[in-house]
Amino acid sequence: MVYKLPIFWLKPKNDFVFKFIFGRGTKQSNKLLLALLNDVFNVPKGLSLGTVEITNPLTFQTNVTDQYAILDIRAKVAGFGHVNLEMQRVNQRNIDKRTLYYGAKLFEEQLDKGNEYRELKKVVTINFLDFSYFTTEMYHSCYRLMEKRTFEPYPDLLQLHFIEMPKFVKQDKENLIHTNDRMAKWIRFLTNEDDARWEEMANQDPIIENAVDMLRTVSMDREARMLAEAREKALKDINSIRGEGIEEGIEEGIKKGMEKGRKEGIKEGKREDAKMMLMEGLDLHLIIKITGLTESEVLELKDELRR
């Protein structure tokens, strides 16, 4: 494989980069997504899923600096159903509920187009997690509905997949991953932090070579690179302002804010938090949402800082 290499490779775990590779809606991106889905579902060789259509392809107009920006991938797979994929790096302690909501939205969207209930297609959510969430030692969990006492499975209309990448990395280092594990190559690609290994990975598997080539493309695209780096900075800024690791989630951030409020007065604590956010250049509406202050109160603080 001979081509110009980027000075610095972006990381596939960046949710913007992840969507660039698998959710851009181009022929190459669709090919990679289809190959990934075949391996997630362990589709027998020679019986590949049908064509895939991205229903929310990536656009560079996405506001990636918004902490609440949604960079999931929604796709229709011919003869199979609807799929939602998401790269989730921050443990906000709600992924179990979040993925149910996304799945429900995919059912709702089918009805919005005039379909009757009997015409609803299967919905599958796939969550790549950069943290451990469930108690099981398995890195790939799949949840389906079933009867409580007899365990008879409900018609296969909803599947919830969780791929906990830290568990895989740990097991991979201990040589516990089976050689026939079809997901292994993908998670090694997504979690790789060593830029010297990209060419090695590309030479081991043709489909991963295509993924590495797409990663090279986004790493060398000036606009895409700026968006990916802006996405990283936005998350780090929120982490710094909230005063604790993002991995602790919004719930822990609110708890810390409450503790500060009890010591200095709840209102004053919120005002101080808002001042910090204003100095960091955060969006006005995001500050209001986090602190609970009114728009006029935040604008008043903004005027104070200008004096």
Side-chain angles (χ1 to χ4, degrees):
M1 183 171 58
V2 180
Y3 46 52
K4 184 178 178 182
L5 298 176
I7 296 175
F8 178 81
W9 292 80
L10 294 173
K11 304 306 178 190
K13 284 194 298 186
N14 178 297
D15 49 4
F16 173 83
V17 177
F18 180 79
K19 185 159 184 175
F20 186 99
I21 295 172
F22 297 102
R24 200 177 181 191
T26 62
K27 183 178 180 180
Q28 185 180 8
S29 183
N30 287 358
K31 178 181 178 181
L32 287 169
L33 177 59
L34 194 60
L36 175 63
L37 293 177
N38 275 314
D39 287 335
V40 170
F41 302 141
N42 206 27
V43 178
K45 299 292 185 180
L47 298 176
S48 173
L49 296 172
T51 57
V52 64
E53 175 191 351
I54 306 295
T55 59
N56 65 335
L58 176 69
T59 67
F60 284 11
Q61 283 69 48
T62 302
N63 183 13
V64 296
T65 60
D66 183 353
Q67 178 198 4
Y68 301 102
I70 299 174
L71 293 171
D72 63 331
I73 300 171
R74 297 194 295 274
K76 291 193 297 185
V77 183
F80 181 80
H82 297 253
V83 179
N84 179 286
L85 296 92
E86 184 178 19
M87 172 63 71
Q88 186 60 250
R89 296 171 57 195
V90 179
N91 184 3
Q92 297 183 16
R93 302 183 181 182
N94 63 5
I95 192 63
D96 47 349
K97 299 176 179 65
R98 178 188 180 108
T99 198
L100 277 173
Y101 174 76
Y102 284 171
K105 288 292 289 183
L106 287 179
F107 280 122
E108 181 185 31
E109 289 171 7
Q110 294 181 61
L111 290 175
D112 284 346
K113 297 178 180 179
N115 292 333
E116 296 184 8
Y117 289 116
R118 65 173 178 270
E119 296 174 333
L120 287 176
K121 305 298 183 185
K122 179 194 301 188
V123 166
V124 178
T125 67
I126 303 171
N127 304 274
F128 287 89
L129 309 181
D130 199 25
F131 50 87
S132 296
Y133 196 79
F134 298 98
T135 57
T136 176
E137 293 184 1
M138 298 184 301
Y139 76 83
H140 182 184
S141 303
C142 175
Y143 293 89
R144 294 171 55 183
L145 298 173
M146 66 173 59
E147 208 286 323
K148 181 178 179 179
R149 292 160 297 182
T150 66
F151 303 110
E152 179 183 358
Y154 194 80
D156 190 17
L157 291 172
L158 177 65
Q159 291 183 14
L160 309 174
H161 290 255
F162 300 89
I163 298 167
E164 300 169 87
M165 297 188 295
K167 290 182 180 179
F168 172 89
V169 171
K170 181 177 183 296
Q171 293 171 24
D172 199 25
K173 288 179 179 178
E174 297 171 354
N175 296 317
L176 298 177
I177 302 299
H178 197 281
T179 54
N180 293 329
D181 188 327
R182 292 169 58 179
M183 281 299 301
K185 61 179 180 291
W186 293 109
I187 306 179
R188 288 174 185 139
F189 168 76
L190 293 171
T191 59
N192 180 45
E193 298 286 343
D194 183 0
D195 291 348
R197 294 198 60 221
W198 293 122
E199 186 169 1
E200 174 191 341
M201 287 185 173
N203 291 333
Q204 290 176 351
D205 190 289
I207 195 64
I208 297 300
E209 180 178 2
N210 290 340
V212 171
D213 186 50
M214 187 76 88
L215 180 62
R216 177 189 64 85
T217 298
V218 68
S219 296
M220 296 183 69
D221 184 296
R222 184 174 180 273
E223 183 178 5
R225 185 179 181 81
M226 288 175 62
L227 289 170
E229 291 174 348
R231 181 66 174 166
E232 286 290 326
K233 184 178 185 300
L235 294 176
K236 289 178 181 178
D237 285 348
I238 295 294
N239 178 28
S240 175
I241 291 168
R242 296 311 292 266
E244 56 188 310
I246 290 181
E247 66 274 10
E248 293 299 325
I250 301 300
E251 181 180 325
E252 287 298 316
I254 293 174
K255 186 183 297 182
K256 183 173 182 179
M258 291 174 65
E259 291 173 357
K260 181 178 180 181
R262 281 193 292 269
K263 293 178 180 178
E264 303 178 4
I266 293 176
K267 194 72 173 181
E268 188 57 31
K270 290 182 177 180
R271 287 168 58 85
E272 289 301 316
D273 285 344
K275 284 181 181 179
M276 291 175 62
M277 296 177 192
L278 286 168
M279 287 188 288
E280 291 291 337
L282 259 71
D283 178 76
L284 176 67
H285 297 294
L286 180 57
I287 296 174
I288 293 170
K289 187 169 186 177
I290 291 175
T291 64
L293 296 175
T294 65
E295 181 174 350
S296 61
E297 288 174 327
V298 177
L299 290 174
E300 181 182 346
L301 292 172
K302 191 173 184 180
D303 288 337
E304 287 181 13
L305 292 172
R306 289 175 177 170
R307 293 170 191 166

